[in-house]
Amino acid sequence: MRQTLHRILLALLAIVTMGALQVQAAKKVHTLGDSTMAPYDESATVTRGWGMYFGNFLTNGWMSINYAKGGRDSRGGYEELWQTAKKNVTAGDYVIITFGHNDEKNSGMDGYELKAYYESIGETAKAAAVDLRGTVPSTTYKEWLGKIVDEAKALGATPIICSPVCRSYFDGSKIRRNGRHDLGDSFSVLTSGGIKEKQSVPADDHTMDYAYHSQKLAEEKGISFIDLTTSTAKLYESYGDAKCHEYLFDGEGSTHFNTTGAVLVARECARLMKAQGILTDAITLPTDLTVAPSTGDFGEAYKGQTLQKEFTLNGFGLSPETGTVSVTATDGIVLSFDKKEWQTTLSADYSGSTLVKTFYAQVTLTTDGETTGTITVRQDDKTIEIPVKATAVTLEGGTEVKAYWRLEKDDACELTGPATPIAQTFQGMYVQRYSNPNAKTVWPEWTGYDASRKMQRDLLTGDAWPADEIDDNPERYIQWGIKPAVGTELKIDQISLFASGCGGNGMCCHIYYSTDNFETRTTIFEMKSMPANNPQYVEAKPVLTVKEGQELLVRVYPWYNGAASGKTICLSDLTIHGMAVTATGISQVSTDSTMTTAFFTVDGRQHAQMQRGLNIVRMSDGSIKKLIY
């Protein structure tokens, strides 16, 4: 028995040692921030976060992991994003932290303190309507950032604070004070005597300057500080108001980048870090033409589907100073700059030795198995070849599963097949009603529906949409889901629904799905200023496996473009479709010559059968196997 336990302990030691070696080999930069840094689905929106491209400037085995999400302030950064990130942070890693945009909610007051104040004076309606995001620059903002810094240090990582990128708020040729995240011209203060609004301080008073206090925190903690506020102000001003918005931003305001803007900001962050001696051997700043990504793995899809991927041409210090870059593709691949006109050859002119240009490639899966090809980029005597690969998969076998929420008179789910639906729930939202006699709903012609077809009409708690929202509020969403039946897993091939606004054309929303309770998420729809009473058809066809014990969750995050009351987001016909197949989590360990004789958990406790997680299995020939269940 002692020999067997000894072998078990050796096996466990081998597992731990292997894991430790893998951790040592991985060199990671973790990025935490808001929508200006966040990842976006290139097929759903033109918006890009600069954290998507920071890894383009890393070399020598370093990689970037982006945890940023839209709508997060420093409190959400700590309570949500950091709680996910720190599971993956190990000694030697770097953690880049940048918040500020959403910390400015409530005109510089802390959201939780404001809610508590309204509750203390009996203003329950106002308390319920408070946006809980928002911090005070000199106190709660620094406190939440400081928590991330301290815990990153405790893990042996190196935290770096970046001040937030500017908003492109111009006053003549310069970025305004509030564009630089200094609310000193107009802010509110919560005092023991109540709220004081429209306060101001002189330009040299940094009381309400978030960027300033992020720098002060870095100094207090003895860590590096990257001043992205000043550097992006200079970048924007070098373009001027009109060209800045045209070339760097997504066309939806003065906050969010397009690909060019996001790449330039990522490069600027890398440049500033290198200038300060941070990761000097790991940061590369190319001065010629590069393409990102350098390989075109389109992933898997079902036969007949068309896959799309975004590529970025990055040229700095190009020679000659003025010229043309050509992009060509082999058969089966088409290219476009605007996702409207597709062809096999593109040309991009550049001047000033600089080029940042996005192009898109499409592959249609017409045959089973793998499709391959090449995209070739040429500039003067330089040639870059990008290998392209896409794989067609077939969904077959198992039992069909379909969960369908009609949302015409209630939130009941019609289920077909072996699975468990997850009932509709609301966070910061509620169902107003299922009909509107005055609504003249115009459905897509292909549906055959007329205006009598009803939708679920949902309102936010308090009924009044805030004036300053430009992105998700993490405390406001509508959710449904599905999970596999015991002993099965789900192969999902469709998620679809209809969504529209009602009462005005200012409704906006993001729709995501997730299989890890929204630690990570995939965007399937984004629309701003949705036309009222015109349901938009949302459909995703993922190649997605939901394993036994997992849940597939679908969420709609709405907001409104400007202050308004009574405006609703309308939803109907949510469908989740796929196939249920036998779960693959149990390995068959018996053979003709050997049989299992005992099962042990990782702490050495013996069980009559395998348990959830890692099992150490003793075979009849004395060998030890490691099995996951």
Side-chain angles (χ1 to χ4, degrees), residues 555-574:
R555 286 184 183 175
V556 177
Y557 285 84
W559 72 97
Y560 202 79
N561 183 19
S565 60
K567 313 297 184 183
T568 58
I569 183 164
C570 305
L571 306 167
S572 73
D573 296 277
L574 172 66

Side-chain angles (χ1 to χ4, degrees), residues 21 29 42 61 65 127 135 268 287 342 344 348 368 445 453 485 495 500 506 509 524 528 549 609 615 619:
L21 290 174
V29 179
E42 64 192 43
I65 305 176
T135 58
E268 186 66 4
T287 56
W342 296 91
T344 57
D368 294 328
E445 186 175 349
R453 188 174 177 87
I495 303 169
S500 74
C509 81
I524 60 175
K528 298 172 182 176
Q609 59 186 14
N615 292 262
M619 311 302 293

Side-chain angles (χ1 to χ4, degrees), residues 404-420:
Y404 175 66
W405 288 264
R406 170 65 189 87
L407 304 178
E408 182 177 26
K409 59 181 179 180
D410 56 33
D411 59 1
C413 176
E414 299 175 16
L415 178 69
T416 303
T420 302

Side-chain angles (χ1 to χ4, degrees), residues 57 70 96 98 110 175 185 191 200 208 240 242 244 247-248 274 290-291 346 363 431 476 486 529 537 548 580 607 615:
F57 304 99
I96 296 177
T98 178
D110 185 272
I175 298 296
D185 287 337
T191 71
S200 64
M208 298 304 296
C244 177
Y247 294 147
L248 306 184
K274 196 175 184 73
T290 60
V291 183
L346 300 174
V363 176
V431 178
R476 184 195 308 135
V486 174
S529 300
Y537 183 58
E548 185 179 9
H607 286 276
N615 292 262

